[in-house]
Amino acid sequence: MPVKAIVASVEGYKERFTLVASAVELTGLQMVELFAARFRQEDRFRDLKQRLGWEECRAWTANPIQRTSQAQWVTMSLLRLLQFRLEASGKVGWWLRPPWNKKKDRPSVLDAERLMRRHREQFQRLLSKWARNEGNTEEHAA
């Protein structure tokens, strides 16, 4: 099978890397762009597995897998919405710009997680209060 190989040098990286693809009709630039897009997809799967617990979903049928995946995708979407709302409100400095990655231009799921962890005690108090009042109706709560 014919393949195309390219050697790419990317600004900010010390070493070149090699890509090999069977899509011989692609240009070298297209191959690098597809590789970068694939890397972003893999990065999202890593977030699902490592940050949101997807690897904990062990099931022999499709239902538990679908429920877990849907819950985690909703969680990731909510974290992204949080990011967008914070940016729209002009909040700055809430996400980590690590010294080793000066070109980082947007927050990650981990950054949103860190923000939420900073407010852990407040969340616990709210959940505790909610749990105490869960059995109360409006009549009993008044």
Side-chain angles (χ1 to χ4, degrees):
M1 168 181 279
V3 296
K4 182 182 256 185
I6 65 157
V7 177
S9 179
V10 177
E11 184 181 340
Y13 290 86
K14 293 179 183 176
E15 296 185 24
R16 292 178 284 175
F17 62 94
T18 304
L19 297 174
V20 178
S22 59
V24 293
E25 70 282 357
L26 296 178
T27 67
L29 181 58
Q30 288 172 323
M31 286 175 63
V32 171
E33 288 171 344
L34 286 173
F35 174 77
R38 166 87 184 192
F39 180 79
R40 285 190 297 274
Q41 289 172 349
E42 295 295 330
D43 199 38
R44 298 302 172 254
F45 280 116
R46 185 212 60 222
D47 283 343
L48 282 168
K49 291 188 326 189
Q50 293 178 0
R51 311 248 188 270
L52 300 176
W54 208 18
E55 78 279 2
E56 300 299 324
C57 177
R58 305 279 190 246
W60 295 103
T61 65
N63 286 338
I65 295 169
Q66 289 172 350
R67 283 192 305 263
T68 301
S69 298
Q70 290 167 359
Q72 290 167 344
W73 286 324
V74 166
T75 302
M76 282 191 76
S77 297
L78 290 172
L79 287 171
R80 280 291 178 216
L81 287 173
L82 171 66
Q83 168 199 337
F84 299 147
R85 290 258 173 108
L86 287 168
E87 288 173 357
S89 69
K91 302 258 189 226
V92 294
W94 67 270
W95 58 281
L96 177 66
R97 288 174 175 86
W100 62 87
N101 187 0
K102 299 207 185 292
K103 293 184 179 182
K104 182 176 176 181
D105 62 351
R106 63 186 173 88
S108 64
V109 170
L110 181 58
D111 291 317
E113 246 188 289
R114 286 183 184 123
L115 173 67
M116 303 302 271
R117 278 193 228 124
R118 280 189 239 157
H119 301 286
R120 182 179 179 155
E121 289 179 16
Q122 293 166 316
F123 284 123
Q124 287 175 332
R125 279 196 301 273
L126 287 170
L127 288 171
S128 177
K129 183 178 176 183
W130 174 79
R132 281 194 306 270
N133 295 327
E134 176 64 16
N136 297 337
T137 63
E138 286 187 30
E139 294 173 2
H140 294 105

